[in-house]
């Protein structure tokens, strides 16, 4: 028999009260001020297999789910952990229980090795609950500690639907991929209002930290989408290229023929004429499988995941259409992070070289091109997944090294018949070697003839046949046979293993 309620005490909630509280929590917050957006639960409906979601902490706090939905669901039959902020509940802000719910699901992801999806839409911490979310052992810092602990262990994929402000901006930054919704998503460490107080700058949220800025300028965003559902659908698609955790390998699926197979005129013979390297990629990979990463940032290099006869590969390709494909500071960083990501999740790497080298000049030296280039070379040299280097046309100077030269132990260096490898391009090399002689020739025609003859000598001395005869190049194939060549070499590498630990890790350049 239940104990009687003391006089004046509120009656305990009835079963109906609890059911109604759960219904209010599932209804979420007020989204009427944000027309055109999906609610947090609608976003989860797009992400997860129907009927697969099991929620934790539904009745936390006095607010609906305390402003964050956490739990486990399925994506194409694969269990995943989810965190979805509800902007309709105090702008998705974090309090003590909001943090605790996120910590608990991340701890479960770490324990059970579950991929994590973050649907971020939060104005930051609740200053009215500062002691709950900010300084303690189970506050926001614990969330970030767990994200770092999960990095390289399980995929972490973020869709940014609205703001991610102040310290909370680091939640997307610690994930593997960030898709941002145009016009609504933003990331910044201080709001425009705070920035004006501190620095005197006047700006807007989108100018300071909007989707286009981060996708095109800072590199913090990966792709921009017009609608909520598009970002979530892309995140769901991306998981298909990744294993569940670091100890597994991506699934192999049925092969599909490439979108294009005619190589005629794709790569110009003139080494300085631009072309779109994505046209090469379209002829190599299974149709419709190229998932480009950071397509709008550092466009002189192209990176992305694709399938080649059903096997997932990571592609790193110089882009001759942009800055001649020379490696700049940002493109070095872009490739570095992508290589590290692929190596973490056992994805073989294919380098497509058409590179005049690293960019030179006062500006890039001041930006630290040597330091950034060293990070790229460190990541490439440290990667233990199978690596394949393809020389499409030119491979000059340290760019050849950074794109996986033979000294960095690719499984094979494959060249197209148009390939040329050298410390410099022939013209630059002749000018360097014969600068004084060329300057001493007064007649223009005689000077041009002298330079042309020396260039031809250089080309004949350092030619593709010689490179192959001295084992710099393993094989030469026409474009039409490159896909098949790579596919059979990938199959032969299926049994690859990692080396035994010899140190904690290399010391990365700054």
């Amino acid at each position: 028999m239940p104990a009687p309620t003391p006089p004046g005490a509120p009656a305990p909630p009835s079963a109906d009260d609890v059911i109604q509280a759960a219904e209010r929590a599932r209804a979420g917050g007020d989204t009427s001020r944000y027309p055109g957006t999906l609610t947090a639960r609608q976003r989860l409906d797009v992400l997860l297999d129907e009927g697969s979601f099991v929620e934790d902490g539904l009745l936390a706090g006095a607010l609906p789910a305390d402003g964050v939905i956490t739990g486990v669901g399925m994506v194409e039959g694969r269990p995943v952990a989810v965190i979805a902020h509800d902007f309709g509940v105090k702008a998705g802000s974090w309090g003590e229980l909001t943090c605790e719910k996120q910590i608990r699901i991340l701890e479960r992801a770490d324990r059970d090795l579950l991929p994590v999806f973050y649907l971020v839409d939060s104005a930051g911490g609740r200053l009215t609950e500062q002691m709950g979310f900010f300084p303690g052992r189970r506050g926001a810092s614990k969330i970030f500690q767990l994200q770092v602990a999960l990095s390289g262990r399980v995929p972490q994929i973020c869709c940014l639907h609205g703001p991610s402000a102040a310290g909370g901006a680091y939640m997307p930054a610690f994930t593997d991929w960030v898709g941002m919704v145009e016009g609504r998503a933003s990331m910044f460490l201080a709001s425009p209002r705070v920035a004006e107080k501190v620095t005197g700058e006047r700006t807007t949220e989108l100018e300071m930290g909007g989707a286009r800025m981060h996708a095109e300028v800072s590199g913090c965003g990966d792709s921009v989408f017009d609608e909520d559902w598009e970002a979530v659908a892309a995140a769901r698609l991306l998981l298909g290229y990744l294993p569940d955790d670091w100890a597994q390998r991506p699934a192999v699926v049925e092969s599909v023929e490439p979108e294009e197979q005619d190589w005629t005129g794709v790569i110009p013979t003139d080494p300085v004429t631009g072309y779109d390297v994505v046209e090469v990629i379209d002829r190599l990979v299974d149709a419709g499988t190229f998932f480009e990463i950071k397509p709008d940032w550092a466009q002189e290099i192209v990176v992305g995941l694709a399938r080649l006869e059903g096997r997932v590969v990571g592609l790193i390709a110089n882009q001759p259409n942009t800055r001649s494909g020379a490696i700049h500071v940002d493109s070095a960083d872009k490739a570095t992070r992508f290589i590290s990501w692929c190596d973490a999740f056992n994805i073989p790497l294919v380098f497509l070289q058409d590179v005049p080298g690293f960019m030179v000049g006062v500006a890039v030296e001041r930006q630290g091109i040597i330091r950034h280039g060293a990070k790229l070379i460190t990541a490439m040299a440290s990667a233990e997944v199978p690596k394949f280097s393809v020389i499409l046309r030119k491979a000059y100077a340290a760019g050849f090294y950074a794109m996986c030269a033979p000294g960095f132990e690719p499984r094979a260096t494959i060249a197209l018949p148009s390939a040329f490898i050298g410390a410099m391009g022939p013209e630059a090399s002749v000018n360097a070697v014969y600068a004084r002689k060329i300057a001493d020739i007064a007649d223009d025609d005689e000077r041009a003839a002298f330079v042309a003859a020396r260039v031809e000598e250089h080309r004949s001395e350092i030619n593709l046949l010689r490179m192959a005869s001295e084992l710099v190049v393993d094989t030469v194939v026409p474009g039409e046979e490159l896909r098949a060549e790579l596919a059979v070499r990938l199959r032969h590498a299926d049994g690859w293993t990692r080396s035994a630990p010899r140190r904690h890790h290399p010391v990365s350049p700054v």
Side-chain angles (χ1 to χ4, degrees):
M1 184 174 180
T5 303
S14 67
D16 285 343
D17 292 335
V18 175
I19 291 171
Q20 289 171 12
E23 289 174 350
R24 287 194 298 271
R26 289 193 186 96
D30 177 20
T31 58
S32 61
R33 289 191 299 156
Y34 317 105
T37 66
L38 297 179
T39 67
R41 293 184 185 277
Q42 287 171 333
R43 293 164 188 166
L44 288 175
D45 288 341
V46 176
L47 174 66
L48 301 173
D49 298 350
E50 187 175 357
S52 70
F53 183 50
V54 178
E55 185 171 354
D56 296 325
L58 173 65
L59 296 176
L63 301 168
D66 208 57
V68 64
I69 304 164
T70 61
V72 174
M74 297 278 189
V75 172
E76 298 289 345
R78 298 165 60 182
V80 301
V82 297
I83 291 172
H85 300 136
D86 186 344
F87 198 76
V89 179
K90 282 193 175 292
S93 57
W94 296 5
E96 180 177 3
L97 294 178
T98 324
C99 287
E100 182 62 26
K101 287 179 66 174
Q102 294 177 96
I103 289 166
R104 288 178 63 195
I105 194 64
L106 292 176
E107 287 174 333
R108 178 170 177 186
D110 187 54
R111 182 178 66 246
D112 296 349
L113 288 179
L114 300 176
V116 185
F117 284 87
Y118 302 82
L119 308 186
V120 176
D121 197 350
S122 171
R126 292 177 201 152
L127 296 180
T128 54
E129 296 184 39
Q130 188 170 152
M131 288 304 296
F133 84 84
F134 180 64
R137 292 178 180 273
R138 303 286 288 184
S141 63
K142 183 63 178 179
I143 295 172
F144 303 148
Q145 186 270 333
L146 286 164
Q147 285 191 274
V148 173
L150 286 165
S151 181
R153 279 171 54 76
V154 297
Q156 298 186 83
I157 299 172
C158 175
C159 296
L160 189 49
H161 298 278
S164 183
Y170 282 104
M171 175 171 271
F174 290 129
T175 66
D176 300 324
W177 179 87
V178 181
M180 302 182 70
V181 179
E182 176 73 270
R184 295 195 289 273
S186 60
M187 281 188 279
F188 41 72
L189 295 181
S191 69
R193 187 169 47 192
V194 173
E196 184 178 355
K197 284 272 188 185
V198 174
T199 69
E201 292 179 306
R202 290 191 174 185
T203 185
T204 65
E205 287 190 4
L206 296 184
E207 183 182 19
M208 174 178 273
R212 285 289 166 197
M213 192 287 288
H214 281 304
E216 297 173 4
V217 181
S218 77
C220 291
D222 284 277
S223 288
V224 177
F225 301 91
D226 291 330
E227 302 291 343
D228 282 342
W229 71 266
E230 293 174 328
V232 177
R236 181 181 167 98
L237 177 65
L238 176 58
L239 184 66
Y241 293 86
L242 301 169
D244 288 335
D245 60 69
W246 67 279
Q248 300 185 49
R249 296 185 182 180
V252 179
V253 302
E254 187 175 345
S255 176
V256 179
E257 287 298 303
E259 290 179 3
E260 302 287 346
Q261 300 186 36
D262 183 6
W263 283 74
T264 305
V266 172
I267 302 176
T269 55
D270 179 4
V272 299
T273 299
Y275 65 94
D276 186 357
V277 77
V278 175
E279 292 192 15
V280 173
I281 292 170
D282 287 343
R283 286 158 174 77
L284 285 182
V285 304
D286 296 6
T289 66
F290 182 48
F291 192 108
E292 190 170 355
I293 304 297
K294 299 187 188 299
D296 299 318
W297 184 59
Q299 293 179 327
E300 61 273 12
I301 204 160
V302 172
V303 302
L305 302 171
R307 292 187 179 273
L308 203 161
E309 290 199 353
R311 285 173 167 77
V312 177
V313 295
L315 297 163
I316 304 98
N318 308 115
Q319 176 56 288
N321 254 0
T322 303
R323 295 174 163 182
S324 301
I327 300 171
H328 289 244
V329 167
D330 284 346
S331 47
D333 285 353
K334 176 178 173 178
T336 297
R337 190 176 191 278
F338 181 73
I339 290 167
S340 177
W341 186 35
C342 288
D343 187 52
F345 293 112
N346 307 314
I347 298 172
L349 296 165
V350 176
F351 294 82
L352 301 176
Q353 296 206 40
D354 195 338
V355 59
F358 282 85
M359 187 59 189
V360 298
V362 173
V364 291
E365 293 294 355
R366 286 173 178 264
Q367 292 165 7
I369 188 68
I370 296 170
R371 175 165 49 85
H372 292 269
K375 287 194 290 186
L376 168 55
I377 293 173
T378 298
M380 178 271 300
S382 301
E384 293 192 309
V385 294
K387 296 177 284 193
F388 302 90
S389 187
V390 179
I391 317 300
L392 298 176
R393 190 171 58 173
K394 59 185 178 293
Y396 295 160
F400 176 49
Y401 287 1
M403 294 293 289
C404 200
F408 295 100
E409 301 182 352
R411 295 297 181 104
T413 300
I414 304 166
L416 299 191
S418 53
F420 185 90
I421 301 169
M424 289 184 178
E427 293 80 4
S429 181
V430 166
N431 278 313
V433 173
Y434 297 101
R436 182 169 297 177
K437 174 68 174 174
I438 292 170
D440 288 342
I441 300 174
D443 183 78
D444 291 346
D445 292 339
E446 183 183 350
R447 188 188 313 111
F450 176 83
V451 170
R454 300 296 82 73
V455 167
E456 195 56 39
E457 286 174 4
H458 185 87
R459 286 189 180 279
S460 62
E461 180 183 355
I462 306 177
N463 58 66
L464 187 55
L465 186 58
R466 181 177 178 185
M467 291 291 175
S469 68
E470 297 194 12
L471 299 181
V472 174
V473 168
D474 292 296
T475 189
V476 179
V477 298
E480 292 80 2
E481 297 177 15
L482 180 57
R483 172 179 161 88
E485 181 76 23
L486 284 168
V488 72
R489 289 180 181 274
L490 277 166
R491 290 197 297 273
H492 290 170
D494 275 347
W496 71 273
T497 58
R498 293 184 182 272
S499 61
R502 294 171 293 171
R503 58 185 172 181
H504 298 305
H505 52 73
V507 178
S508 177
V510 177

